[in-house]
Amino acid sequence: MAKIGIFVGTVYGNALLAAEEAEPILQQQGHSVTLFEDATLADWQAFSHDVALIITSTTGQGDFPDTLSGLFHAIKDKLGHQPALRYGVIALGDSSYEHFCGAGKAFDALLQEQGAQRVGETLLVDATENPEPEVVTSPWVEAWGAQL
């Protein structure tokens, strides 16, 4: 089974809640899972030949929460090609804003640019339709984990 790092970007706790719900689902599938609320580049690199699951909300004008912003910029500025990395993205947002799920989309675009292999499609969760994101994220995580 896979070694998975869950990297969380949260402001009000919804992304963290989704991550905390995802962790046992993936563990029950036999995966080894570590959850990071404020990850460093070293944390990320420990999974460079494994699997990363990014679960992030979006702030402001499509910006990253502080808990994930530093990691995103470190990956962008200090890492290049990451072909051995497999990953998934769960993006939380509010469709009434112009940059809906902007942080998750930006993370996905960066990893695509760096040659990482996305597993499945990015999940975009709209807070106006799903105020409890885990209702949508948990079934997605179960299906995503089965693809690894």
Side-chain angles (χ1 to χ4, degrees):
M1 302 278 46
K3 176 183 164 192
I4 304 170
I6 300 177
F7 298 88
V8 181
T10 193
V11 176
Y12 299 113
N14 284 337
L16 180 58
L17 176 63
E20 289 171 341
E21 295 279 333
E23 186 176 20
I25 292 169
L26 294 169
Q27 288 170 335
Q28 288 169 2
Q29 292 178 335
H31 301 296
S32 169
V33 184
T34 307
L35 195 150
F36 297 96
E37 290 183 53
D38 199 6
T40 64
L41 186 59
D43 295 330
W44 179 266
Q45 289 178 300
F47 292 86
S48 64
H49 289 84
D50 298 295
V51 181
L53 176 57
I54 297 94
I55 302 178
T56 186
S57 58
T58 298
T59 66
Q61 298 297 310
D63 300 320
F64 287 93
D66 290 343
T67 58
L68 198 61
S69 179
L71 177 63
F72 174 82
H73 290 291
I75 292 168
K76 184 176 181 181
D77 297 342
K78 297 180 180 172
L79 297 182
H81 205 50
Q82 297 189 72
L85 177 69
R86 294 182 295 155
Y87 75 95
V89 177
I90 296 175
L92 282 65
D94 182 327
S95 62
S96 66
Y97 287 87
E98 181 180 350
H99 300 284
F100 173 61
C101 291
K105 291 175 181 176
F107 220 123
D108 178 48
L110 173 64
L111 294 178
Q112 286 289 296
E113 195 177 290
Q114 294 184 340
Q117 305 164 48
R118 185 178 60 227
V119 176
E121 293 300 316
T122 297
L123 176 63
L124 305 179
V125 181
D126 186 353
T128 61
E129 295 176 14
N130 299 288
E132 296 177 356
E134 66 279 5
V135 172
V136 178
T137 61
S138 291
W140 183 93
V141 168
E142 196 166 321
W144 181 79
Q147 295 178 62
L148 299 175

